[in-house]
């Protein structure tokens, strides 16, 4: 009896993997009402784990430490929400004055458009009226979507704290589940992979919170220097929008820019707000985040943007927030599976050698596609011929190989036949 396992073609394995991935994505989309709160709970429980361990060392008990950690997280989130709502109410008290200035700005904009492009105000009002009718026609679907989002939000407010508590309280129970589920894999490898996932996600979350604090201070400082009122509110709000990677700060600059356009007499204040926020975004992406988060969350920008787009298509706004930590977790899993190691390499940051000017040559030599140079030194040949009987012409052909040569496929067979 032949006990050898049957090997399938690579194309069949690839097709089965793609079909399985498609079914998995469909399952995630169908169950997102439960899956999204669960994923947020996992992120929150990972970020609260050091606090829970600290409370357990004080001999408070595992259950009480988990409950207290979740309550502290709820208090922090509630304080941030109260600050935003309170500041919004204060700004709303000056709504009449702000509205008058906004109307005057719109009047100046209409005059500029009329003088520059020759479009009369009646035409602009007709366009606005037409767009208003379209919005009114779609009001039913908008209201339905809004109430659906509110329902999901309420469900999340209830489910996320419960899920977070049980994830903290049952963490060793879940770890044993992974040991039982992957019995054929060495237990040390399973434990190392779980610890690495924890380190990557925690580094991302704690780093994100630290970066958000620094960005809030920078945003607020710039707005204060420009004399924009409610600087702390706008600076903090823009930093919280960093939960939307790459686009959060840019979106957060729109509201203070519009506010500056409404309350200031000069439009350059709005331009200055947008410019300062872009400077802060540049500092965040190139200096602050790399030095704080470090190399633990190594996802190249191209894969990060693709993950964000796919996350938005799958889960909407929640998918934009969950995209990067999920991608970092998937990379750790791919690195731990030999057959998926190449895809983990694709998600990660490229090596510095692959970004240099001669990276193609180095890469081809690394994988044996071309030969290494025989000599890296320049050779100079000086030939002098003296002949007393008469002039004589001497021709010499010299070839020195400095660049790598492409290895022919039958090089070894040619050398063997030549020797024989």
């Amino acid at each position: 009896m032949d006990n050898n396992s049957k090997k399938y073609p690579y194309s069949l394995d690839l097709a089965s993997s793609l079909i399985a991935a498609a079914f998995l994505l469909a399952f995630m989309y169908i169950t997102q009402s439960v899956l999204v709160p669960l994923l947020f709970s996992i992120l929150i429980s990972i970020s609260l784990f050091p606090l829970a361990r600290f409370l357990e060392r004080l001999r408070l008990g595992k259950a009480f430490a988990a409950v207290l950690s979740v309550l502290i997280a709820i208090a922090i989130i509630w304080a941030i929400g109260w600050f935003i709502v309170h500041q919004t109410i204060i700004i709303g008290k000056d709504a009449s004055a702000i509205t008058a200035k906004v109307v005057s700005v719109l009047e100046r904009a209409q005059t500029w458009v009329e003088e520059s492009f020759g479009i009369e105000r009646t035409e602009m009002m007709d366009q606005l009226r037409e767009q208003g009718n379209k919005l009114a026609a779609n009001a039913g679907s908008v209201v339905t979507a809004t109430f659906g989002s509110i329902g999901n939000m309420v469900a999340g407010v209830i489910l996320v704290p419960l899920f977070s508590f049980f994830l903290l309280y049952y963490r060793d129970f879940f770890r044993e589940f992974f040991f039982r589920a992957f019995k054929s894999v060495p237990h040390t490898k399973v434990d190392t992979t779980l610890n690495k996932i924890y380190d990557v996600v925690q580094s991302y979350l704690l780093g994100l919170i630290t970066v958000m604090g620094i960005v809030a201070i920078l945003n607020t400082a710039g707005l204060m220097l420009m004399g924009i009122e409610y600087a702390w509110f706008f600076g903090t709000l823009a930093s919280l929008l960093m939960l939307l990677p790459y686009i959060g700060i840019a979106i957060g600059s729109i509201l203070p820019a519009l506010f500056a356009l409404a309350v200031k007499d000069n439009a350059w204040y709005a331009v200055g707000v947008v410019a300062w926020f872009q400077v802060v975004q540049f500092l965040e992406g190139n200096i602050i985040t790399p030095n704080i988060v470090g190399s633990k969350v190594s996802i190249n920008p191209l894969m990060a943007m693709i993950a964000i787009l796919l996350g938005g298509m799958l889960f909407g706004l929640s998918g934009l927030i969950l995209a990067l930590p999920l991608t970092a977790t998937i990379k750790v899993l791919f690195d731990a599976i030999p057959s998926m190691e190449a895809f983990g390499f694709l998600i990660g940051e490229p090596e510095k050698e692959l970004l240099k000017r001669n990276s193609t040559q180095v890469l081809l030599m690394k994988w044996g596609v071309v030969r290494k140079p025989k000599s890296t030194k320049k050779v100079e040949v000086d030939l002098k011929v003296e002949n007393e009987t008469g002039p004589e012409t001497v021709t010499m052909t010299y070839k020195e190989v400095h660049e790598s040569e492409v290895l022919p496929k039958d090089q070894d067979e040619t050398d063997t036949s030549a020797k024989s």
Side-chain angles (χ1 to χ4, degrees), residues 173-335:
F173 172 75
F174 292 125
R175 182 177 288 265
E176 185 173 358
F177 160 76
F178 287 108
F179 286 137
R180 291 173 178 267
F182 300 99
K183 288 184 178 181
S184 58
V185 181
H187 294 166
T188 54
K189 186 174 183 179
V190 175
D191 184 66
T192 301
T193 303
L194 292 176
N195 291 334
K196 192 171 183 180
I197 291 174
Y198 166 77
D199 291 337
V200 167
V201 176
Q202 190 186 54
S203 298
Y204 172 78
L205 295 176
L206 296 181
L208 179 63
I209 294 172
T210 306
V211 171
M212 287 170 64
I214 297 174
V215 169
I217 295 174
L218 292 176
N219 290 339
T220 304
L223 293 175
M224 284 183 173
L225 290 176
M226 286 182 280
I228 306 298
E229 297 181 16
Y230 310 110
W232 274 109
F233 169 72
F234 290 119
T236 305
L237 182 62
S239 67
L240 291 176
L241 288 175
M242 284 184 60
L243 292 172
L244 306 177
Y246 296 102
I247 60 174
I249 298 180
I251 296 175
S253 65
I254 296 175
L255 189 59
L258 293 176
F259 183 80
L261 189 64
V263 300
K264 295 292 184 180
D265 296 331
N266 197 332
W268 285 106
Y269 282 97
V271 176
V273 170
V274 175
W276 174 248
F277 275 60
Q278 295 305 313
V279 171
V280 172
Q281 185 173 15
F282 175 80
L283 294 175
E284 178 269 327
N286 295 276
I287 298 176
I288 301 174
T289 299
N291 289 322
I292 292 178
V293 178
S295 60
K296 289 186 177 181
V297 185
S298 56
I299 304 174
N300 67 73
L302 176 61
M303 292 294 110
M305 287 187 286
I306 293 175
I308 291 169
L309 293 175
L310 293 177
M313 293 173 61
L314 189 62
F315 294 143
L317 180 62
S318 300
L320 298 178
I321 301 174
L322 294 170
L324 290 186
L326 285 180
T327 305
T329 303
I330 292 172
K331 182 187 182 304
V332 174
L333 295 176
F334 282 174
D335 291 339

Side-chain angles (χ1 to χ4, degrees), residues 52-74:
R53 286 293 301 271
F54 172 76
L55 295 175
E56 289 174 10
R57 292 192 184 99
L58 299 178
R59 298 182 180 180
L60 296 179
K62 206 169 192 178
F64 184 72
V67 170
L68 189 57
S69 300
V70 173
L71 290 177
I72 291 174
I74 292 174

Side-chain angles (χ1 to χ4, degrees), residues 391-405:
E392 182 176 353
T393 302
V394 178
T395 302
M396 180 176 182
T397 302
Y398 184 82
K399 179 182 178 183
E400 179 68 23
V401 179
H402 291 283
E403 300 294 334
S404 302
E405 298 178 351

Side-chain angles (χ1 to χ4, degrees), residues 154-186:
V154 172
V157 169
I158 297 174
L159 291 178
V160 170
L162 288 175
F163 287 167
S164 301
F165 163 74
F166 285 113
L167 288 171
L168 285 172
Y169 187 49
Y170 290 158
R171 59 180 183 269
D172 294 328
F173 172 75
F174 292 125
R175 182 177 288 265
E176 185 173 358
F177 160 76
F178 287 108
F179 286 137
R180 291 173 178 267
F182 300 99
K183 288 184 178 181
S184 58
V185 181

Side-chain angles (χ1 to χ4, degrees), residues 379-419:
V379 179
E380 295 181 359
V381 178
D382 186 11
L383 183 62
K384 185 178 181 181
V385 178
E386 295 182 359
N387 193 346
E388 297 179 356
T389 58
E392 182 176 353
T393 302
V394 178
T395 302
M396 180 176 182
T397 302
Y398 184 82
K399 179 182 178 183
E400 179 68 23
V401 179
H402 291 283
E403 300 294 334
S404 302
E405 298 178 351
V406 178
L407 287 173
K409 295 182 180 179
D410 56 347
Q411 181 69 33
D412 296 336
E413 297 177 359
T414 305
D415 295 342
T416 305
S417 60
K419 291 180 180 179

